[in-house]
Amino acid sequence: TALADLRERLGDAKAALRALERGLEKAPGDARLYERVTATYRERGDHRALLALLVQEAERRPADEAADLYRQAAQLARERM
């Protein structure tokens, strides 16, 4: 996240997001990275990327947590797609 923070300070939001996404790919269980990426997708209105991330995250979580993520994904798809 240090690279993403630096990119943000330099005003390069796209590079900051790419750094966060790469970090999440390398550490898919990192809750802080997941929250930053989802927040960024929401802020940018990138509903497709958010939907894909919600489903991806649901696939690696226990069933009870996955159900909530799938519900969020379904709601997003209904409302924004």
Side-chain angles (χ1 to χ4, degrees):
T1 62
L3 179 58
D5 293 340
L6 174 63
R7 297 291 188 190
E8 283 179 354
R9 284 194 300 275
L10 293 173
D12 193 346
K14 286 183 182 181
L17 178 57
R18 282 193 308 271
L20 290 171
E21 290 169 332
R22 275 185 258 138
L24 192 57
E25 286 173 11
K26 292 180 181 182
D30 188 316
R32 191 167 62 118
L33 280 172
Y34 172 78
E35 291 302 322
R36 284 189 67 184
V37 172
T38 56
T40 302
Y41 288 159
R42 289 180 199 282
E43 289 169 10
R44 297 177 80 187
D46 192 343
H47 305 298
R48 290 188 189 283
L50 179 58
L51 179 61
L53 183 58
L54 287 169
V55 170
Q56 179 181 16
E57 187 68 11
E59 290 171 350
R60 56 169 229 80
R61 295 278 186 101
D64 59 331
E65 295 175 27
D68 182 54
L69 291 167
Y70 283 127
R71 276 192 291 278
Q72 290 179 46
Q75 181 178 1
L76 178 65
R78 275 192 311 273
E79 293 175 359
R80 304 291 181 171
M81 304 303 234

